[in-house]
Amino acid sequence: MAFNEDSRVKLPAILHLTQLGYTYISLKDAVWDDKTNIFTNIFSNAIARINLHLSSEDITRLYKEVAISLENENIGQTFYKMLTERSGTRLIDFENYDNNSFHVCTELPYKNGEDEFRPDIICLINGMPLVFVEVKKPNNREGVLAERKRIRSRFQNKKFRNFVNITQFMIFSNNMEYDPDEIEPWQGAFYASSSYQKPIFNYFREEIGFNLTQIMQPLNLEVQDFILKDTNYQALKSSQEFITNKNPDSPTNRILTSLLSKDRLAFMLRYSVAYVKETSGLQKHIMRYPQLFATKAIAAALDNDVRKGIIWHTQGSGKTALAYYNTHYLTDYFQEQHKIPKFYFIVDRLDLLTQARDEFTARGLKVHTVNSRDEFVRDLKKTTALNNDKGQREITVVNIQKFKDDTDVSKTKDYDINIQRVYFLDEVHRSYNPEGSFLANLEQSDKNAIKIGLTGTPLIGASLKSKFLFGDYIHKYYYNKSIADGYTLKLIREEIETQYKVLLQKALDSIDIVKGDADKKTVYAHHRFVEPMLDYIVTDFEKFRLTNNDASVGGMVICDSSEQAREMYAIFQRKYQGIQENWVDLAAEKSATYGEQLKEEYRVKTAALILYDSGSKQELEEFRDAFKAGKIDFLFVYNMLLTGFDAKRLKKLYLGRVIRSHNLLQALTRVNRTYKDYRYGFVVDFADISKEFDKTNRAYFDELQEVLGDEMESYSNLFMSHEEMLAKIAEIKETLIDYNCLNAETFSSQISQITDRAEVLRIKKALEDSKSLYNIIRLVGDYELLEHLDFRKLSQLRIISADRLALLNAKEAFQNNEELGNLLNVALEDILFQFKLKSTAEMILGDSLKDLLKKTREALGGNFDPKDPEWISLYDELRRLFEKKNLSEVSQEEMQENIDSLRKIHEAIKELNRRNDLLKDKYNGDPKYARIQKRLVEAGRPSQIKSAIIAALQKIKEQTDISVLQRNDILTNEGFFTKHIAKLVNKEFEETLKQPLDYDTIIFISDIIVKEYLDEHLDRTA
């Protein structure tokens, strides 16, 4: 019985999509353009239905425009604009969404020349493949990371640009629940926007409970039979595991409902995509689920006539991006009410205005800035909703820092159009004084305005609460969820090393001031105090870079005062910045400190001083941007950049003073943004903040135990007595008593919850024992004992337990920066990677070898008949090639020889696969019968011509597939099924060969066919 990713995840997911309103397409009779993978007939019919004014020639021209738009190097931005166009010619009818065509197919080839890949599931709207789904079975070795690595490799291939550009987003799942403690997405169901680089995997946790009885259609059994027959999985229909996997609440089916149910998909396509100009180039972002539900919560509040409220989302969760998405969503929301929205984003500092302006501009909004009271008054009195004359989407960023408390901005009664003002107030935990005039004037300026406060740390004190000023919480998203979703990191607090504390005391003792009378601010800004503190910081940070082998990270020092910041920066300039002659002696000293030679790249060389009164506005902006771009190592600050400053590379914060209450959390979370593979943001505490905020003192994870090796079979004596075997059966039952051993899917779910390796090992050992015991019972012929356990089922469970143990081992290895041992692909990739460190010529050779090896490996892996003597010969030849010599040590000449040898193997396996595909095509794509025919031809039984054998097997397949579909229990009765096949073999071969077969040949052919039906899928899984 099939028990693999197709049967467990893919096929149930396809059936689930048909219940969500998608029509299944078989590729056998479908027509599509392999340059775009658009199903041209469906596309033309849908476009004609949506755009009644278009002629067939117009539709042909439109299709050409679509195809051309997909050739751009802009991640599909041109196509996306066409896709979401609401006026004129439309590719999707968003107003009458049911007017569109929704289809799903499987294994659609995305190819260009020899390069190709086949996503597991493709969802199409109006014939356009806009979303695809990749699935893995639960507890697969590398989790969904394997798919991310694979899709990254594919989408970096420029030959696939058209497919990257047409794909709006992707879903990846191994049908497991999320692991709240993992850093990388090993298990679960994730979604990502298309990317030419590394796709960012997003969690999805549904907040709006779907009423499945309303949005899901009953499963059409005829459609199910058609899909199973089309994919050659007829035998699945009656299996308990398949029935279990059709559960709409499985992790894969849940995310399909959340993202691909028709109404939700319409929302995702229209409002969840943003093209962002980043320093690395144009990127495509997609809404995170808390942004999606916050948007819907805003709409729900407006529907209930709520005019103000707070979005409480933790730092790093994208509140500025949320405001951007809502400029699109709320524009449509208000236009349906015949209102013209005008959006404002209100900040209380110049640096936040600059940051907000840049973020909105990067996302394509036209930004108008207001930095004074008079400008704001003039803007409020305008009788137009936009400041630009091109009709671009727009937002006005307002800095209220310099507004006076007595400023009157309320006289705005003279506009005469139906403008709906929407204020997004950033960081509503500060600066909005309820006793001042700004909030009152903002209220009076337009009593009908919508006011949405944004904060990660609302005021919750007894005397003043944010919600008293800005209304109740519209939507909340806390740190625990943000950390679990991988959007922010945990924080580690580090205390000063003992040696530094001694130095610090010496510095205090040596200051020529009577300490009792000295002002602390003066003491902490004195150069005798600052210099040892700076030396510690620089040494610690360089060691941090060295330890992590990463020179890209940056640091920030929050100083005790602006005076201390100035002194620290002055000493840094004199001692560390740009003085090359001192570096030689300093490097020797540091080498002794670090225990190894400090590389030049790890050295701290550059810094910037960020104070309100230090440098011009332009210089401060340049420093900020240079730090984000990695051109500055350190920032010395006092009060600036403690909130709202997002730089992912900032991973270490040196805290020189105690910051109070929610402001402390704001400051600490400057280092909690995700970056590369970092698991924590680090805070070095000079000021002892533990009493003020002890939650920042988080411990490292306990050291993981070493990965244990595989269990050995426990039987040394095969010839056990009957009583000993009975005792072993009882022992196995007792070990497994707590688990469901009747339904493999339920067992898989149960064991997936276990994080204790010892428990998984115990279960796996019992199942390994059952395998050994099964073989012993058969060997000694004590067959009545086979009735005591379902050994065939336990064999499935053994594979599941081994998968779970392998996943736990791999995750432990990953968390300890160990290699994921025994993975051939990883080992080979590591070998090839070393070539990149050599000269250009050798890199080219290395890349050529790597590319050819990848293709050869994939071609061998793509063969459906590993028992073919020709395949075995090619596999052995490849293995011998790599056993000869360590590829990382070969010479240029030897490397070229290896490439030549690989090319011959690659060409041979390509030819074998081509012939196999031709053979499989004789049986409607069913590899079982291709293998059956090959085994018959190899054995010379029957000895007649091949065409007669093919004709007989085709008839046997047709009748057997019908029998399997019509009789759900036929495969559970092996004796009956064998007799049934033998009758078909006798009848069909006699008709095609025009003569009867002898009895032995009938039995020989029947056994091969029965074995393929019963064991093919199990062989795949193994």
Side-chain angles (χ1 to χ4, degrees):
M1 187 65 65
F3 198 67
N4 54 32
E5 68 182 40
D6 284 0
S7 66
R8 301 175 68 186
V9 191
K10 186 178 82 171
L11 288 171
I14 291 174
L15 290 172
H16 186 74
L17 287 168
T18 65
Q19 292 181 266
L20 293 175
Y22 292 78
T23 300
Y24 178 79
I25 308 176
S26 170
L27 299 184
K28 293 166 184 174
D29 301 315
V31 177
W32 69 89
D33 181 351
D34 60 8
K35 294 182 178 61
T36 64
N37 273 3
I38 294 175
F39 287 60
T40 49
N41 291 345
I42 299 174
F43 177 86
S44 298
N45 292 334
I47 296 302
R49 185 172 61 251
I50 295 170
N51 304 275
L52 299 176
H53 62 286
L54 295 183
S55 66
S56 59
E57 291 79 9
D58 293 332
I59 294 174
T60 300
R61 281 194 295 271
L62 176 63
Y63 179 77
K64 290 180 180 178
E65 291 176 15
V66 169
I68 292 172
S69 75
L70 296 175
E71 297 175 357
N72 294 310
E73 293 283 327
N74 60 3
I75 329 178
Q77 186 176 31
T78 306
F79 171 71
Y80 181 72
K81 289 178 180 178
M82 297 180 67
L83 188 71
T84 54
E85 181 61 51
R86 305 280 296 282
S87 61
T89 301
R90 294 169 296 163
L91 297 181
I92 295 178
D93 188 345
F94 285 110
E95 278 63 41
N96 181 13
Y97 202 56
D98 287 333
N99 197 28
N100 300 291
S101 298
F102 299 86
H103 291 87
V104 59
C105 63
T106 180
E107 306 290 344
L108 177 67
Y110 285 48
K111 62 182 179 181
N112 188 320
E114 287 187 4
D115 298 299
E116 75 168 61
F117 67 97
R118 296 170 182 257
D120 293 317
I121 302 170
I122 303 90
C123 292
L124 308 103
I125 298 184
N126 299 335
M128 297 176 289
L130 302 183
V131 181
F132 68 75
V133 185
E134 292 282 15
V135 298
K136 290 291 183 184
K137 66 180 181 179
N139 291 309
N140 62 305
R141 173 82 185 232
E142 291 185 275
V144 294
L145 287 175
E147 286 299 339
R148 185 171 74 179
K149 181 179 180 181
R150 188 173 292 113
I151 203 65
R152 181 181 185 183
S153 173
R154 290 165 177 167
F155 277 12
Q156 285 179 334
N157 187 342
K158 289 193 175 183
K159 292 182 178 180
F160 294 142
R161 279 295 182 263
N162 287 1
F163 305 129
V164 184
N165 292 342
I166 201 171
T167 301
Q168 299 309 299
F169 64 91
M170 307 162 287
I171 296 173
F172 303 86
S173 175
N174 65 349
N175 213 28
M176 298 178 70
E177 301 295 344
Y178 298 127
D179 181 348
D181 295 321
E182 66 187 14
I183 304 302
E184 289 282 355
W186 283 85
Q187 66 184 60
F190 304 86
Y191 69 107
S193 55
S194 52
S195 170
Y196 295 155
Q197 301 173 6
K198 182 180 179 180
I200 305 300
F201 276 25
N202 294 281
Y203 292 72
F204 198 99
R205 304 181 197 273
E206 184 63 52
E207 292 184 13
I208 299 175
F210 282 102
N211 185 341
L212 294 178
T213 60
Q214 293 182 4
I215 69 170
M216 281 189 69
Q217 305 167 8
L219 180 60
N220 186 317
L221 297 181
E222 291 183 2
V223 170
Q224 175 180 269
D225 289 351
F226 175 73
I227 293 173
L228 293 179
K229 182 177 180 181
D230 187 62
T231 54
N232 294 303
Y233 278 99
Q234 297 91 333
L236 281 181
K237 184 175 180 180
S238 60
S239 79
Q240 288 300 311
E241 289 79 9
F242 184 60
I243 294 170
T244 298
N245 281 321
K246 288 190 288 185
N247 177 10
D249 197 41
S250 72
T252 302
N253 290 343
R254 280 206 309 268
I255 198 171
L256 295 183
T257 303
S258 292
L259 293 176
L260 298 180
S261 56
K262 289 185 178 180
D263 288 346
R264 185 62 65 76
L265 180 57
F267 179 93
M268 296 298 293
L269 293 177
R270 291 172 72 178
Y271 304 117
S272 77
V273 172
Y275 284 90
V276 185
K277 293 181 180 178
E278 298 184 353
T279 54
S280 59
L282 185 67
Q283 302 295 327
K284 185 177 182 179
H285 292 189
I286 192 165
M287 257 190 185
R288 298 171 180 177
Y289 78 85
Q291 294 168 336
L292 184 155
F293 292 118
T295 300
K296 289 187 169 293
I298 291 171
L302 294 176
D303 288 342
N304 291 317
D305 203 30
V306 174
R307 314 303 290 178
K308 65 178 182 179
I310 295 173
I311 304 294
W312 181 359
H313 282 196
T314 181
Q315 282 79 17
S317 56
K319 291 184 286 295
T320 307
L322 172 64
Y324 163 79
Y325 289 124
N326 271 272
T327 62
H328 292 266
Y329 181 79
L330 293 179
T331 294
D332 289 349
Y333 179 90
F334 287 117
Q335 282 182 349
E336 290 179 1
Q337 303 173 23
H338 307 290
K339 296 180 181 179
I340 303 174
K342 185 170 185 177
F343 299 100
Y344 296 83
F345 193 82
I346 298 177
V347 299
D348 64 346
R349 288 210 319 261
L350 177 61
D351 58 318
L352 296 181
L353 178 143
T354 302
Q355 179 171 307
R357 178 200 66 197
D358 292 351
E359 287 197 35
F360 287 129
T361 301
R363 287 171 168 80
L365 281 183
K366 184 70 175 178
V367 179
H368 176 60
T369 59
V370 169
N371 202 25
S372 73
R373 170 256 189 196
D374 292 338
E375 286 181 77
F376 192 41
V377 171
R378 287 196 298 270
D379 185 88
L380 289 174
K381 290 183 177 182
K382 285 183 178 179
T383 58
T384 58
L386 298 177
N387 290 285
N388 72 89
D389 57 3
K390 296 182 180 179
Q392 291 178 259
R393 290 279 170 85
E394 181 181 283
I395 194 167
T396 299
V397 181
V398 181
N399 174 26
I400 65 166
Q401 185 180 35
K402 297 181 180 179
F403 283 26
K404 297 178 181 178
D405 273 350
D406 61 353
T407 298
D408 187 358
V409 296
S410 61
K411 298 176 181 179
T412 58
K413 308 292 186 182
D414 50 348
Y415 62 84
D416 57 3
I417 63 172
N418 198 9
I419 292 177
Q420 174 61 67
R421 287 185 173 83
V422 180
Y423 296 116
F424 290 98
L425 296 101
D426 193 28
E427 310 289 5
V428 294
H429 49 264
R430 62 164 201 269
S431 297
Y432 298 98
N433 181 7
E435 298 177 358
S437 64
F438 176 74
L439 286 177
N441 285 328
L442 193 66
E443 178 71 24
Q444 294 300 315
S445 67
D446 184 353
K447 293 185 177 181
N448 192 48
I450 307 299
K451 302 176 189 67
I452 301 172
L454 306 173
T455 181
T457 53
L459 295 171
I460 53 176
S463 59
L464 180 63
K465 297 181 185 290
S466 294
K467 67 179 182 180
F468 289 169
L469 298 177
F470 302 100
D472 270 328
Y473 303 119
I474 296 175
H475 191 259
K476 293 177 285 188
Y477 181 68
Y478 300 117
Y479 279 96
N480 59 333
K481 288 186 179 179
S482 180
I483 291 171
D485 291 339
Y487 297 140
T488 53
L489 304 177
K490 293 182 178 180
L491 299 178
I492 295 295
R493 171 177 167 262
E494 297 180 354
E495 292 192 37
I496 303 172
E497 292 180 356
T498 304
Q499 182 181 12
Y500 177 77
K501 289 182 177 179
V502 173
L503 293 174
L504 174 59
Q505 189 60 50
K506 289 180 179 178
L508 286 172
D509 291 342
S510 63
I511 294 175
D512 188 19
I513 299 176
V514 180
K515 289 188 291 180
D517 300 328
D519 178 75
K520 286 186 178 181
K521 178 179 176 182
T522 303
V523 173
Y524 294 153
H526 195 280
H527 72 90
R528 298 295 296 274
F529 180 98
V530 173
E531 185 166 354
M533 181 178 180
L534 177 64
D535 287 342
Y536 175 87
I537 289 171
V538 171
T539 300
D540 177 74
F541 190 71
E542 289 175 340
K543 187 176 181 180
F544 180 74
R545 283 180 163 182
L546 180 67
T547 301
N548 290 282
N549 191 27
D550 185 3
S552 72
V553 292
M556 177 188 283
V557 183
I558 299 177
C559 297
D560 178 71
S561 64
S562 60
E563 289 79 6
Q564 186 191 64
R566 293 180 199 280
E567 182 66 21
M568 191 168 288
Y569 180 61
I571 296 173
F572 181 89
Q573 284 185 303
R574 183 183 75 249
K575 192 169 184 178
Y576 293 98
Q577 184 165 302
I579 304 178
Q580 299 296 328
E581 59 269 21
N582 290 347
W583 174 243
V584 176
D585 296 335
L586 193 60
E589 178 184 337
K590 289 179 179 294
S591 294
T593 301
Y594 298 140
E596 59 179 285
Q597 185 67 37
L598 179 68
K599 296 179 182 178
E600 173 73 11
E601 62 185 296
Y602 299 134
R603 176 190 165 200
V604 173
K605 307 172 188 176
T606 56
L609 178 66
I610 307 293
L611 299 172
Y612 286 115
D613 56 353
S614 176
S616 66
K617 169 186 172 182
Q618 181 178 352
E619 286 174 332
L620 292 179
E621 288 185 17
E622 289 174 353
F623 288 150
R624 182 201 66 183
D625 294 341
F627 181 83
K628 286 186 175 183
K631 299 176 182 178
I632 292 178
D633 297 318
F634 254 108
L635 295 176
F636 297 109
V637 305
Y638 174 51
N639 272 335
M640 291 189 71
L641 303 187
L642 303 190
T643 65
F645 177 65
D646 295 336
K648 293 183 177 181
R649 64 181 288 262
L650 176 55
K651 281 291 147 282
K652 203 148 196 182
L653 184 71
Y654 296 86
L655 193 59
R657 63 186 173 92
V658 174
I659 304 173
R660 302 296 176 187
S661 189
H662 61 275
N663 292 323
L664 175 60
L665 186 57
Q666 285 281 333
L668 298 183
T669 54
R670 296 312 99 204
V671 293
N672 77 344
R673 306 307 194 263
T674 57
Y675 183 68
K676 295 186 176 179
D677 294 326
Y678 285 88
R679 301 168 65 191
Y680 305 102
F682 293 86
V683 178
V684 180
D685 182 10
F686 291 91
D688 190 7
I689 61 170
S690 58
K691 292 181 180 178
E692 183 65 27
F693 185 56
D694 58 6
K695 290 182 181 179
T696 60
N697 184 16
R698 301 186 182 276
Y700 285 98
F701 289 134
D702 292 335
E703 290 234 348
L704 299 174
Q705 296 179 355
E706 291 185 7
V707 178
L708 300 178
D710 292 335
E711 288 285 317
M712 301 295 291
E713 288 189 2
S714 59
Y715 297 100
S716 57
N717 179 14
L718 287 178
F719 298 99
M720 301 172 67
S721 69
H722 181 83
E723 290 72 21
E724 287 174 325
M725 287 188 282
L726 277 174
K728 179 55 66 175
I729 289 172
E731 180 183 323
I732 293 170
K733 286 183 176 181
E734 183 65 24
T735 301
L736 302 175
I737 189 65
D738 293 330
Y739 301 93
N740 187 328
C741 296
L742 300 178
N743 187 315
E745 207 57 64
T746 302
F747 177 85
S748 176
S749 178
Q750 291 172 338
I751 199 172
S752 296
Q753 307 303 314
I754 304 174
T755 57
D756 182 3
R757 291 185 66 262
E759 175 65 8
V760 178
L761 277 170
R762 187 178 74 91
I763 296 168
K764 178 174 177 287
K765 181 179 183 301
L767 293 169
E768 293 282 2
D769 288 351
S770 73
K771 174 187 175 183
S772 302
L773 184 59
Y774 173 68
N775 292 329
I776 294 170
I777 291 172
R778 294 172 62 211
L779 181 64
V780 301
D782 201 348
Y783 295 116
E784 68 176 49
L785 292 177
L786 294 179
E787 303 299 320
H788 290 261
L789 285 174
D790 186 345
F791 287 98
R792 181 180 288 272
K793 179 66 69 176
L794 293 183
S795 178
Q796 281 186 334
L797 306 188
R798 177 180 55 81
I799 295 171
I800 295 171
S801 68
D803 287 343
R804 180 58 180 168
L805 183 63
L807 179 67
L808 290 174
N809 288 344
K811 289 170 75 170
E812 287 189 1
F814 177 82
Q815 291 168 350
N816 285 289
N817 293 320
E818 298 172 359
E819 294 295 331
L820 303 176
N822 300 323
L823 289 175
L824 174 63
N825 290 349
V826 174
L828 292 176
E829 292 293 336
D830 287 341
I831 293 171
L832 296 172
F833 178 75
Q834 297 180 43
F835 293 121
K836 292 184 177 181
L837 302 177
K838 299 183 180 180
S839 68
T840 302
E842 290 177 338
M843 284 179 68
I844 294 173
L845 277 172
D847 287 344
S848 299
L849 179 60
K850 178 180 179 180
D851 182 61
L852 189 55
L853 175 60
K854 174 177 174 289
K855 291 180 178 179
T856 306
R857 226 168 39 219
E858 289 177 349
L860 279 168
N863 187 283
F864 60 78
D865 187 14
K867 294 182 179 180
D868 187 323
E870 188 175 349
W871 186 91
I872 294 172
S873 175
L874 291 170
Y875 178 83
D876 288 343
E877 191 174 343
L878 179 65
R879 186 182 61 189
R880 285 194 299 271
L881 174 64
F882 286 94
E883 286 177 346
K884 287 181 181 178
K885 184 180 284 287
N886 184 348
L887 290 184
S888 63
E889 300 173 356
V890 298
S891 65
Q892 291 259 358
E893 183 178 351
E894 289 171 324
M895 192 166 13
Q896 186 61 58
E897 290 177 0
N898 285 331
I899 289 176
D900 293 339
S901 300
L902 263 179
R903 186 172 290 113
K904 292 177 182 177
I905 297 173
H906 181 234
E907 292 300 322
I909 189 61
K910 276 174 55 182
E911 173 59 21
L912 176 59
N913 286 347
R914 184 190 68 82
R915 286 187 270 113
N916 280 347
D917 287 340
L918 289 175
L919 181 58
K920 187 170 64 172
D921 187 61
K922 298 292 184 185
Y923 303 102
N924 203 20
D926 190 341
K928 295 193 296 296
Y929 281 86
R931 289 191 292 269
I932 292 167
Q933 178 187 323
K934 291 169 73 173
R935 299 296 90 82
L936 297 185
V937 172
E938 290 164 6
R941 298 176 67 176
S943 58
Q944 281 74 10
I945 58 175
K946 191 182 298 184
S947 60
I949 296 174
I950 293 173
L953 290 178
Q954 286 174 336
K955 292 181 179 180
I956 292 171
K957 170 180 167 53
E958 181 179 356
Q959 295 177 68
T960 304
D961 288 350
I962 292 172
S963 298
V964 169
L965 283 175
Q966 290 180 345
R967 293 198 55 178
N968 295 339
D969 61 341
I970 193 169
L971 293 178
T972 62
N973 189 332
E974 186 173 339
F976 177 81
F977 185 59
T978 301
K979 292 178 182 178
H980 177 70
I981 293 296
K983 290 179 180 178
L984 289 176
V985 169
N986 185 40
K987 173 178 177 293
E988 299 303 338
F989 271 92
E990 182 174 351
E991 287 186 5
T992 57
L993 300 178
K994 308 303 181 185
Q995 63 183 54
L997 293 176
D998 61 86
Y999 178 77
D1000 287 344
T1001 300
I1002 292 173
I1003 297 302
F1004 176 79
I1005 297 173
S1006 301
D1007 285 347
I1008 292 176
I1009 296 173
V1010 169
K1011 187 175 187 305
E1012 280 292 340
Y1013 268 94
L1014 296 180
D1015 297 338
E1016 175 209 17
H1017 299 300
L1018 186 58
D1019 290 342
R1020 282 186 192 172
T1021 305

